[in-house]
Amino acid sequence: QVQLVESGGGVVQPGRSLRLSCAASGFTFNSYTMHWFRQPPGKGLEWVAVILYDGSNKYYADSVKGRFTISRDNSKNMLYVQMNSLRAEDTAVYYCARDRGIFGVVPECFDIWGQGTMVTVSS
Amino acid sequence: SYELTQPPSVSESPGQTARITCFGDKLGDKYASWYHQKPGQSPVLVIYQNTKRPSGIPERFSGSNSGNTATLTISGVQGMDEADYYCQAWDSSSAHVIFGGGTKLTVL
């Protein structure tokens, strides 16, 4: 079935780095734009970054621009986010999600979500 | 930066109609989407392109978007509909996905 599975979360000290992965299955991964989102404990959803289906364009939330890098490997059906210079305020559950439109160049909405992986930034 | 504003909470009795609003400048010029999220679970898309329901979403969920306000309407609300609801849009001027702050729906 259509599925996204995140991994790579954990506890990390401020200023350190972490890479999250998202494994896609059950659909043609290279046809879909993909996103990362996060949700701090007890708070609302926050968009982190998007990468178009072919990797040609990437956009970032202001809060992570310059520190996070989104990437994908269409040959492995994998999505990644490299998170550098982590801060306490980056503590959240991180979700990957699929954009609904096939070969979409304008992000629209997100129809498949992973189960999330928790990132805790603390000394 | 573009913002979407939702009421923090909405309460309704079972069987009644619950309406959750989302306000943004000229929101009607954009596509609005809605998600629900139950505690400990991932978000679920319930409305996209203002009015469309994904496969598997009950007909009691409907949406509208005009002017500055998008509205999610749940007709004949049930206890299972208790959740946090988020509106969302794409802001092309900033190239950012925008979420509202979320509305907690309580079915009394």
mmCIF file of all heavy atoms in Angstrom, chain A residues 35 37 39 43-45 47 59-62 95 100 106-111 113-115, chain B residues 31 33 35 37 41-45 48-49 86 88-90 95-101:
data_model
loop_
_atom_site.group_PDB
_atom_site.id
_atom_site.type_symbol
_atom_site.label_atom_id
_atom_site.label_comp_id
_atom_site.label_asym_id
_atom_site.label_seq_id
_atom_site.Cartn_x
_atom_site.Cartn_y
_atom_site.Cartn_z
ATOM 1 N N HIS A 35 7.348 16.903 0.752
ATOM 2 C CA HIS A 35 7.502 17.931 1.773
ATOM 3 C C HIS A 35 7.986 17.335 3.091
ATOM 4 O O HIS A 35 7.747 16.158 3.379
ATOM 5 C CB HIS A 35 6.165 18.611 2.069
ATOM 6 C CG HIS A 35 5.515 19.304 0.922
ATOM 7 N ND1 HIS A 35 5.548 20.676 0.770
ATOM 8 C CD2 HIS A 35 4.796 18.817 -0.110
ATOM 9 C CE1 HIS A 35 4.872 21.011 -0.309
ATOM 10 N NE2 HIS A 35 4.401 19.909 -0.870
ATOM 11 N N PHE A 37 7.404 18.451 7.201
ATOM 12 C CA PHE A 37 6.672 19.278 8.152
ATOM 13 C C PHE A 37 7.175 18.939 9.543
ATOM 14 O O PHE A 37 7.841 17.921 9.759
ATOM 15 C CB PHE A 37 5.167 18.976 8.086
ATOM 16 C CG PHE A 37 4.537 19.265 6.769
ATOM 17 C CD1 PHE A 37 4.497 18.288 5.791
ATOM 18 C CD2 PHE A 37 4.006 20.501 6.498
ATOM 19 C CE1 PHE A 37 3.928 18.544 4.549
ATOM 20 C CE2 PHE A 37 3.436 20.779 5.262
ATOM 21 C CZ PHE A 37 3.409 19.789 4.292
ATOM 22 N N GLN A 39 5.969 19.427 13.997
ATOM 23 C CA GLN A 39 4.955 19.800 14.977
ATOM 24 C C GLN A 39 5.581 19.754 16.363
ATOM 25 O O GLN A 39 5.794 18.657 16.912
ATOM 26 C CB GLN A 39 3.749 18.868 14.888
ATOM 27 C CG GLN A 39 2.584 19.274 15.758
ATOM 28 C CD GLN A 39 1.334 18.476 15.444
ATOM 29 O OE1 GLN A 39 1.395 17.304 15.094
ATOM 30 N NE2 GLN A 39 0.183 19.124 15.560
ATOM 31 N N LYS A 43 1.783 21.786 19.951
ATOM 32 C CA LYS A 43 1.571 22.947 19.091
ATOM 33 C C LYS A 43 1.068 22.524 17.716
ATOM 34 O O LYS A 43 0.821 21.350 17.450
ATOM 35 C CB LYS A 43 2.853 23.757 18.983
ATOM 36 C CG LYS A 43 3.297 24.339 20.330
ATOM 37 C CD LYS A 43 4.408 25.344 20.159
ATOM 38 C CE LYS A 43 4.766 25.976 21.507
ATOM 39 N NZ LYS A 43 5.858 26.985 21.382
ATOM 40 N N GLY A 44 0.906 23.505 16.840
ATOM 41 C CA GLY A 44 0.343 23.252 15.530
ATOM 42 C C GLY A 44 1.357 22.785 14.505
ATOM 43 O O GLY A 44 2.552 22.646 14.786
ATOM 44 N N LEU A 45 0.839 22.544 13.287
ATOM 45 C CA LEU A 45 1.673 22.081 12.189
ATOM 46 C C LEU A 45 2.485 23.233 11.601
ATOM 47 O O LEU A 45 1.987 24.348 11.474
ATOM 48 C CB LEU A 45 0.802 21.482 11.095
ATOM 49 C CG LEU A 45 0.024 20.228 11.464
ATOM 50 C CD1 LEU A 45 -0.992 19.898 10.379
ATOM 51 C CD2 LEU A 45 0.968 19.059 11.685
ATOM 52 N N TRP A 47 5.152 23.905 8.257
ATOM 53 C CA TRP A 47 5.839 23.447 7.051
ATOM 54 C C TRP A 47 7.326 23.745 7.169
ATOM 55 O O TRP A 47 7.711 24.807 7.679
ATOM 56 C CB TRP A 47 5.250 24.147 5.835
ATOM 57 C CG TRP A 47 5.970 23.938 4.556
ATOM 58 C CD1 TRP A 47 5.990 22.805 3.795
ATOM 59 C CD2 TRP A 47 6.780 24.887 3.852
ATOM 60 N NE1 TRP A 47 6.754 23.001 2.666
ATOM 61 C CE2 TRP A 47 7.243 24.271 2.674
ATOM 62 C CE3 TRP A 47 7.156 26.208 4.103
ATOM 63 C CZ2 TRP A 47 8.060 24.920 1.746
ATOM 64 C CZ3 TRP A 47 7.959 26.868 3.187
ATOM 65 C CH2 TRP A 47 8.405 26.223 2.022
ATOM 66 N N TYR A 59 12.197 24.778 -1.709
ATOM 67 C CA TYR A 59 11.825 25.978 -0.970
ATOM 68 C C TYR A 59 11.827 25.646 0.513
ATOM 69 O O TYR A 59 11.534 24.505 0.897
ATOM 70 C CB TYR A 59 10.436 26.483 -1.393
ATOM 71 C CG TYR A 59 10.319 26.790 -2.868
ATOM 72 C CD1 TYR A 59 9.699 25.904 -3.733
ATOM 73 C CD2 TYR A 59 10.845 27.967 -3.397
ATOM 74 C CE1 TYR A 59 9.598 26.178 -5.094
ATOM 75 C CE2 TYR A 59 10.750 28.245 -4.756
ATOM 76 C CZ TYR A 59 10.122 27.344 -5.594
ATOM 77 O OH TYR A 59 10.040 27.617 -6.932
ATOM 78 N N TYR A 60 12.129 26.662 1.334
ATOM 79 C CA TYR A 60 12.277 26.443 2.758
ATOM 80 C C TYR A 60 11.502 27.478 3.580
ATOM 81 O O TYR A 60 11.361 28.643 3.172
ATOM 82 C CB TYR A 60 13.761 26.545 3.152
ATOM 83 C CG TYR A 60 14.638 25.515 2.510
ATOM 84 C CD1 TYR A 60 15.260 25.751 1.290
ATOM 85 C CD2 TYR A 60 14.852 24.291 3.126
ATOM 86 C CE1 TYR A 60 16.066 24.797 0.684
ATOM 87 C CE2 TYR A 60 15.670 23.323 2.536
ATOM 88 C CZ TYR A 60 16.265 23.592 1.317
ATOM 89 O OH TYR A 60 17.064 22.637 0.744
ATOM 90 N N ALA A 61 11.049 27.052 4.747
ATOM 91 C CA ALA A 61 10.510 27.993 5.714
ATOM 92 C C ALA A 61 11.621 28.918 6.191
ATOM 93 O O ALA A 61 12.790 28.525 6.255
ATOM 94 C CB ALA A 61 9.902 27.237 6.894
ATOM 95 N N ASP A 62 11.244 30.142 6.527
ATOM 96 C CA ASP A 62 12.236 31.115 6.971
ATOM 97 C C ASP A 62 12.993 30.621 8.199
ATOM 98 O O ASP A 62 14.179 30.908 8.371
ATOM 99 C CB ASP A 62 11.553 32.446 7.297
ATOM 100 C CG ASP A 62 10.935 33.105 6.075
ATOM 101 O OD1 ASP A 62 11.263 32.694 4.934
ATOM 102 O OD2 ASP A 62 10.103 34.005 6.251
ATOM 103 N N TYR A 95 7.423 15.138 10.096
ATOM 104 C CA TYR A 95 6.668 14.314 9.165
ATOM 105 C C TYR A 95 7.133 14.566 7.733
ATOM 106 O O TYR A 95 7.384 15.722 7.358
ATOM 107 C CB TYR A 95 5.180 14.666 9.190
ATOM 108 C CG TYR A 95 4.446 14.451 10.483
ATOM 109 C CD1 TYR A 95 4.224 15.503 11.375
ATOM 110 C CD2 TYR A 95 3.931 13.199 10.826
ATOM 111 C CE1 TYR A 95 3.513 15.325 12.551
ATOM 112 C CE2 TYR A 95 3.222 13.003 11.999
ATOM 113 C CZ TYR A 95 3.016 14.077 12.854
ATOM 114 O OH TYR A 95 2.301 13.881 14.022
ATOM 115 N N ARG A 100 -0.273 16.167 -3.431
ATOM 116 C CA ARG A 100 -1.302 15.391 -4.105
ATOM 117 C C ARG A 100 -1.134 15.330 -5.621
ATOM 118 O O ARG A 100 -1.407 14.303 -6.251
ATOM 119 C CB ARG A 100 -2.686 15.966 -3.786
ATOM 120 C CG ARG A 100 -3.859 15.069 -4.170
ATOM 121 C CD ARG A 100 -5.168 15.835 -4.064
ATOM 122 N NE ARG A 100 -5.219 16.893 -5.065
ATOM 123 C CZ ARG A 100 -5.648 16.705 -6.306
ATOM 124 N NH1 ARG A 100 -6.052 15.528 -6.714
ATOM 125 N NH2 ARG A 100 -5.670 17.732 -7.157
ATOM 126 N N VAL A 106 3.530 23.485 -8.558
ATOM 127 C CA VAL A 106 3.039 24.398 -7.532
ATOM 128 C C VAL A 106 2.498 23.550 -6.392
ATOM 129 O O VAL A 106 1.500 22.848 -6.555
ATOM 130 C CB VAL A 106 1.936 25.324 -8.063
ATOM 131 C CG1 VAL A 106 1.421 26.216 -6.928
ATOM 132 C CG2 VAL A 106 2.463 26.169 -9.216
ATOM 133 N N PRO A 107 3.147 23.577 -5.231
ATOM 134 C CA PRO A 107 2.637 22.787 -4.094
ATOM 135 C C PRO A 107 1.188 23.119 -3.797
ATOM 136 O O PRO A 107 0.779 24.284 -3.893
ATOM 137 C CB PRO A 107 3.564 23.196 -2.947
ATOM 138 C CG PRO A 107 4.829 23.603 -3.621
ATOM 139 C CD PRO A 107 4.394 24.262 -4.899
ATOM 140 N N GLU A 108 0.413 22.107 -3.453
ATOM 141 C CA GLU A 108 -1.016 22.322 -3.244
ATOM 142 C C GLU A 108 -1.488 21.791 -1.900
ATOM 143 O O GLU A 108 -1.822 22.567 -1.010
ATOM 144 C CB GLU A 108 -1.807 21.678 -4.377
ATOM 145 C CG GLU A 108 -3.304 21.959 -4.287
ATOM 146 C CD GLU A 108 -4.093 21.085 -5.229
ATOM 147 O OE1 GLU A 108 -3.705 20.969 -6.401
ATOM 148 O OE2 GLU A 108 -5.099 20.508 -4.778
ATOM 149 N N CYS A 109 -1.532 20.473 -1.760
ATOM 150 C CA CYS A 109 -1.979 19.866 -0.511
ATOM 151 C C CYS A 109 -1.322 18.504 -0.385
ATOM 152 O O CYS A 109 -0.680 18.036 -1.314
ATOM 153 C CB CYS A 109 -3.496 19.774 -0.473
ATOM 154 S SG CYS A 109 -4.191 18.706 -1.743
ATOM 155 N N PHE A 110 -1.533 17.857 0.758
ATOM 156 C CA PHE A 110 -0.692 16.714 1.111
ATOM 157 C C PHE A 110 -1.584 15.533 1.481
ATOM 158 O O PHE A 110 -2.283 15.563 2.502
ATOM 159 C CB PHE A 110 0.245 17.123 2.246
ATOM 160 C CG PHE A 110 0.624 18.573 2.105
ATOM 161 C CD1 PHE A 110 0.160 19.498 2.996
ATOM 162 C CD2 PHE A 110 1.368 19.009 1.018
ATOM 163 C CE1 PHE A 110 0.441 20.843 2.842
ATOM 164 C CE2 PHE A 110 1.661 20.360 0.841
ATOM 165 C CZ PHE A 110 1.198 21.280 1.759
ATOM 166 N N ASP A 111 -1.560 14.505 0.640
ATOM 167 C CA ASP A 111 -2.546 13.446 0.796
ATOM 168 C C ASP A 111 -2.013 12.198 1.489
ATOM 169 O O ASP A 111 -2.804 11.360 1.922
ATOM 170 C CB ASP A 111 -3.153 13.075 -0.569
ATOM 171 C CG ASP A 111 -2.133 12.566 -1.567
ATOM 172 O OD1 ASP A 111 -0.902 12.702 -1.313
ATOM 173 O OD2 ASP A 111 -2.561 12.031 -2.608
ATOM 174 N N TRP A 113 0.817 11.008 4.510
ATOM 175 C CA TRP A 113 1.730 11.439 5.559
ATOM 176 C C TRP A 113 2.387 10.213 6.200
ATOM 177 O O TRP A 113 1.759 9.162 6.327
ATOM 178 C CB TRP A 113 0.972 12.200 6.652
ATOM 179 C CG TRP A 113 0.384 13.502 6.223
ATOM 180 C CD1 TRP A 113 -0.670 13.690 5.358
ATOM 181 C CD2 TRP A 113 0.787 14.806 6.652
ATOM 182 N NE1 TRP A 113 -0.938 15.049 5.225
ATOM 183 C CE2 TRP A 113 -0.062 15.744 6.022
ATOM 184 C CE3 TRP A 113 1.769 15.288 7.526
ATOM 185 C CZ2 TRP A 113 0.068 17.126 6.222
ATOM 186 C CZ3 TRP A 113 1.885 16.655 7.726
ATOM 187 C CH2 TRP A 113 1.036 17.556 7.079
ATOM 188 N N GLY A 114 3.612 10.395 6.625
ATOM 189 C CA GLY A 114 4.251 9.365 7.419
ATOM 190 C C GLY A 114 3.772 9.424 8.862
ATOM 191 O O GLY A 114 2.957 10.269 9.236
ATOM 192 N N GLN A 115 4.306 8.523 9.670
ATOM 193 C CA GLN A 115 3.897 8.451 11.076
ATOM 194 C C GLN A 115 4.660 9.438 11.953
ATOM 195 O O GLN A 115 4.281 9.669 13.098
ATOM 196 C CB GLN A 115 4.078 7.024 11.604
ATOM 197 C CG GLN A 115 5.470 6.685 12.103
ATOM 198 C CD GLN A 115 6.501 6.533 10.987
ATOM 199 O OE1 GLN A 115 6.182 6.529 9.799
ATOM 200 N NE2 GLN A 115 7.775 6.404 11.382
ATOM 201 N N TYR B 31 -6.188 28.186 -3.370
ATOM 202 C CA TYR B 31 -6.811 26.923 -2.990
ATOM 203 C C TYR B 31 -6.635 26.726 -1.486
ATOM 204 O O TYR B 31 -5.530 26.814 -0.959
ATOM 205 C CB TYR B 31 -6.165 25.747 -3.716
ATOM 206 C CG TYR B 31 -6.714 25.464 -5.089
ATOM 207 C CD1 TYR B 31 -5.871 25.016 -6.107
ATOM 208 C CD2 TYR B 31 -8.067 25.609 -5.382
ATOM 209 C CE1 TYR B 31 -6.363 24.723 -7.375
ATOM 210 C CE2 TYR B 31 -8.564 25.331 -6.649
ATOM 211 C CZ TYR B 31 -7.707 24.894 -7.634
ATOM 212 O OH TYR B 31 -8.201 24.614 -8.876
ATOM 213 N N SER B 33 -7.087 24.027 1.713
ATOM 214 C CA SER B 33 -7.203 22.614 2.070
ATOM 215 C C SER B 33 -7.419 22.517 3.574
ATOM 216 O O SER B 33 -7.086 23.443 4.323
ATOM 217 C CB SER B 33 -5.939 21.842 1.681
ATOM 218 O OG SER B 33 -5.664 21.962 0.301
ATOM 219 N N TYR B 35 -7.241 19.684 7.061
ATOM 220 C CA TYR B 35 -6.747 18.423 7.621
ATOM 221 C C TYR B 35 -7.349 18.251 9.007
ATOM 222 O O TYR B 35 -7.562 19.233 9.721
ATOM 223 C CB TYR B 35 -5.218 18.460 7.750
ATOM 224 C CG TYR B 35 -4.529 18.772 6.445
ATOM 225 C CD1 TYR B 35 -4.408 20.086 6.010
ATOM 226 C CD2 TYR B 35 -4.034 17.764 5.627
ATOM 227 C CE1 TYR B 35 -3.814 20.388 4.798
ATOM 228 C CE2 TYR B 35 -3.430 18.059 4.413
ATOM 229 C CZ TYR B 35 -3.337 19.375 4.010
ATOM 230 O OH TYR B 35 -2.753 19.673 2.810
ATOM 231 N N GLN B 37 -6.539 16.059 12.667
ATOM 232 C CA GLN B 37 -5.481 15.330 13.358
ATOM 233 C C GLN B 37 -5.977 14.959 14.747
ATOM 234 O O GLN B 37 -6.318 15.820 15.544
ATOM 235 C CB GLN B 37 -4.208 16.162 13.456
ATOM 236 C CG GLN B 37 -3.030 15.406 14.071
ATOM 237 C CD GLN B 37 -1.786 16.254 14.199
ATOM 238 O OE1 GLN B 37 -1.865 17.454 14.431
ATOM 239 N NE2 GLN B 37 -0.618 15.638 14.074
ATOM 240 N N GLN B 41 -1.742 10.961 16.292
ATOM 241 C CA GLN B 41 -1.826 10.483 14.911
ATOM 242 C C GLN B 41 -1.320 11.544 13.937
ATOM 243 O O GLN B 41 -1.168 12.717 14.285
ATOM 244 C CB GLN B 41 -3.273 10.114 14.569
ATOM 245 C CG GLN B 41 -3.815 8.970 15.403
ATOM 246 C CD GLN B 41 -5.214 8.559 14.970
ATOM 247 O OE1 GLN B 41 -5.679 8.885 13.880
ATOM 248 N NE2 GLN B 41 -5.895 7.826 15.843
ATOM 249 N N SER B 42 -1.071 11.106 12.718
ATOM 250 C CA SER B 42 -0.644 12.033 11.665
ATOM 251 C C SER B 42 -1.852 12.771 11.103
ATOM 252 O O SER B 42 -2.980 12.286 11.195
ATOM 253 C CB SER B 42 0.053 11.254 10.547
ATOM 254 O OG SER B 42 1.156 10.531 11.040
ATOM 255 N N PRO B 43 -1.630 13.928 10.500
ATOM 256 C CA PRO B 43 -2.751 14.652 9.869
ATOM 257 C C PRO B 43 -3.360 13.843 8.721
ATOM 258 O O PRO B 43 -2.683 13.028 8.093
ATOM 259 C CB PRO B 43 -2.092 15.928 9.346
ATOM 260 C CG PRO B 43 -0.856 16.090 10.178
ATOM 261 C CD PRO B 43 -0.391 14.691 10.459
ATOM 262 N N VAL B 44 -4.646 14.105 8.476
ATOM 263 C CA VAL B 44 -5.383 13.471 7.383
ATOM 264 C C VAL B 44 -6.054 14.568 6.560
ATOM 265 O O VAL B 44 -6.747 15.429 7.110
ATOM 266 C CB VAL B 44 -6.446 12.498 7.917
ATOM 267 C CG1 VAL B 44 -7.304 11.961 6.771
ATOM 268 C CG2 VAL B 44 -5.796 11.352 8.682
ATOM 269 N N LEU B 45 -5.846 14.525 5.250
ATOM 270 C CA LEU B 45 -6.472 15.487 4.342
ATOM 271 C C LEU B 45 -7.966 15.191 4.252
ATOM 272 O O LEU B 45 -8.352 14.050 3.940
ATOM 273 C CB LEU B 45 -5.820 15.384 2.963
ATOM 274 C CG LEU B 45 -6.358 16.284 1.850
ATOM 275 C CD1 LEU B 45 -6.049 17.751 2.145
ATOM 276 C CD2 LEU B 45 -5.764 15.858 0.506
ATOM 277 N N TYR B 48 -9.696 19.353 -0.211
ATOM 278 C CA TYR B 48 -8.679 20.011 -1.020
ATOM 279 C C TYR B 48 -9.349 20.790 -2.136
ATOM 280 O O TYR B 48 -10.523 20.578 -2.448
ATOM 281 C CB TYR B 48 -7.655 19.012 -1.542
ATOM 282 C CG TYR B 48 -8.188 18.045 -2.586
ATOM 283 C CD1 TYR B 48 -7.993 18.278 -3.943
ATOM 284 C CD2 TYR B 48 -8.870 16.884 -2.212
ATOM 285 C CE1 TYR B 48 -8.469 17.404 -4.899
ATOM 286 C CE2 TYR B 48 -9.354 16.006 -3.160
ATOM 287 C CZ TYR B 48 -9.145 16.260 -4.503
ATOM 288 O OH TYR B 48 -9.611 15.384 -5.440
ATOM 289 N N GLN B 49 -8.590 21.703 -2.733
ATOM 290 C CA GLN B 49 -9.120 22.600 -3.774
ATOM 291 C C GLN B 49 -10.472 23.180 -3.337
ATOM 292 O O GLN B 49 -11.441 23.163 -4.090
ATOM 293 C CB GLN B 49 -9.230 21.865 -5.102
ATOM 294 C CG GLN B 49 -7.879 21.567 -5.705
ATOM 295 C CD GLN B 49 -7.950 20.893 -7.070
ATOM 296 O OE1 GLN B 49 -9.036 20.666 -7.613
ATOM 297 N NE2 GLN B 49 -6.800 20.565 -7.618
ATOM 298 N N TYR B 86 -6.926 21.839 10.790
ATOM 299 C CA TYR B 86 -6.015 22.862 10.274
ATOM 300 C C TYR B 86 -6.395 23.226 8.843
ATOM 301 O O TYR B 86 -6.600 22.338 8.012
ATOM 302 C CB TYR B 86 -4.578 22.345 10.264
ATOM 303 C CG TYR B 86 -4.007 22.046 11.631
ATOM 304 C CD1 TYR B 86 -4.116 20.771 12.187
ATOM 305 C CD2 TYR B 86 -3.341 23.030 12.362
ATOM 306 C CE1 TYR B 86 -3.592 20.491 13.438
ATOM 307 C CE2 TYR B 86 -2.810 22.761 13.622
ATOM 308 C CZ TYR B 86 -2.944 21.493 14.147
ATOM 309 O OH TYR B 86 -2.416 21.221 15.391
ATOM 310 N N GLN B 88 -5.042 25.205 5.320
ATOM 311 C CA GLN B 88 -3.722 25.327 4.694
ATOM 312 C C GLN B 88 -3.865 25.908 3.302
ATOM 313 O O GLN B 88 -4.847 25.637 2.593
ATOM 314 C CB GLN B 88 -3.065 23.946 4.637
ATOM 315 C CG GLN B 88 -1.769 23.869 3.852
ATOM 316 C CD GLN B 88 -1.981 23.327 2.459
ATOM 317 O OE1 GLN B 88 -2.693 22.346 2.257
ATOM 318 N NE2 GLN B 88 -1.360 23.956 1.453
ATOM 319 N N ALA B 89 -2.893 26.700 2.902
ATOM 320 C CA ALA B 89 -2.852 27.252 1.549
ATOM 321 C C ALA B 89 -1.404 27.416 1.144
ATOM 322 O O ALA B 89 -0.492 27.385 1.982
ATOM 323 C CB ALA B 89 -3.586 28.585 1.489
ATOM 324 N N TRP B 90 -1.197 27.597 -0.145
ATOM 325 C CA TRP B 90 0.130 27.885 -0.703
ATOM 326 C C TRP B 90 0.183 29.365 -1.023
ATOM 327 O O TRP B 90 -0.675 29.890 -1.751
ATOM 328 C CB TRP B 90 0.374 27.056 -1.950
ATOM 329 C CG TRP B 90 1.589 27.456 -2.748
ATOM 330 C CD1 TRP B 90 1.606 28.126 -3.938
ATOM 331 C CD2 TRP B 90 2.958 27.211 -2.411
ATOM 332 N NE1 TRP B 90 2.907 28.306 -4.361
ATOM 333 C CE2 TRP B 90 3.751 27.758 -3.459
ATOM 334 C CE3 TRP B 90 3.602 26.583 -1.340
ATOM 335 C CZ2 TRP B 90 5.156 27.685 -3.453
ATOM 336 C CZ3 TRP B 90 4.984 26.501 -1.338
ATOM 337 C CH2 TRP B 90 5.751 27.050 -2.379
ATOM 338 N N ALA B 95 6.449 31.695 -1.714
ATOM 339 C CA ALA B 95 6.767 30.275 -1.978
ATOM 340 C C ALA B 95 6.794 29.490 -0.673
ATOM 341 O O ALA B 95 7.748 28.747 -0.384
ATOM 342 C CB ALA B 95 8.086 30.136 -2.740
ATOM 343 N N HIS B 96 5.779 29.703 0.146
ATOM 344 C CA HIS B 96 5.665 29.028 1.435
ATOM 345 C C HIS B 96 4.313 28.337 1.540
ATOM 346 O O HIS B 96 3.288 28.864 1.091
ATOM 347 C CB HIS B 96 5.761 30.035 2.581
ATOM 348 C CG HIS B 96 7.162 30.479 2.904
ATOM 349 N ND1 HIS B 96 8.170 30.505 1.980
ATOM 350 C CD2 HIS B 96 7.692 30.911 4.065
ATOM 351 C CE1 HIS B 96 9.277 30.938 2.565
ATOM 352 N NE2 HIS B 96 9.022 31.199 3.825
ATOM 353 N N VAL B 97 4.317 27.168 2.174
ATOM 354 C CA VAL B 97 3.081 26.541 2.624
ATOM 355 C C VAL B 97 2.683 27.209 3.937
ATOM 356 O O VAL B 97 3.522 27.383 4.831
ATOM 357 C CB VAL B 97 3.274 25.022 2.851
ATOM 358 C CG1 VAL B 97 2.034 24.420 3.503
ATOM 359 C CG2 VAL B 97 3.591 24.316 1.539
ATOM 360 N N ILE B 98 1.404 27.566 4.048
ATOM 361 C CA ILE B 98 0.908 28.258 5.239
ATOM 362 C C ILE B 98 -0.179 27.415 5.893
ATOM 363 O O ILE B 98 -1.085 26.921 5.212
ATOM 364 C CB ILE B 98 0.316 29.634 4.889
ATOM 365 C CG1 ILE B 98 1.286 30.456 4.040
ATOM 366 C CG2 ILE B 98 -0.077 30.374 6.165
ATOM 367 C CD1 ILE B 98 2.587 30.825 4.723
ATOM 368 N N PHE B 99 -0.086 27.263 7.213
ATOM 369 C CA PHE B 99 -1.131 26.606 7.993
ATOM 370 C C PHE B 99 -1.782 27.618 8.917
ATOM 371 O O PHE B 99 -1.112 28.535 9.432
ATOM 372 C CB PHE B 99 -0.550 25.488 8.867
ATOM 373 C CG PHE B 99 -0.240 24.217 8.141
ATOM 374 C CD1 PHE B 99 1.070 23.897 7.806
ATOM 375 C CD2 PHE B 99 -1.242 23.330 7.802
ATOM 376 C CE1 PHE B 99 1.374 22.724 7.139
ATOM 377 C CE2 PHE B 99 -0.946 22.143 7.137
ATOM 378 C CZ PHE B 99 0.362 21.848 6.805
ATOM 379 N N GLY B 100 -3.079 27.416 9.159
ATOM 380 C CA GLY B 100 -3.705 28.113 10.255
ATOM 381 C C GLY B 100 -3.237 27.507 11.569
ATOM 382 O O GLY B 100 -2.615 26.446 11.596
ATOM 383 N N GLY B 101 -3.553 28.187 12.659
ATOM 384 C CA GLY B 101 -3.077 27.741 13.959
ATOM 385 C C GLY B 101 -3.793 26.516 14.509
ATOM 386 O O GLY B 101 -3.336 25.927 15.495
#
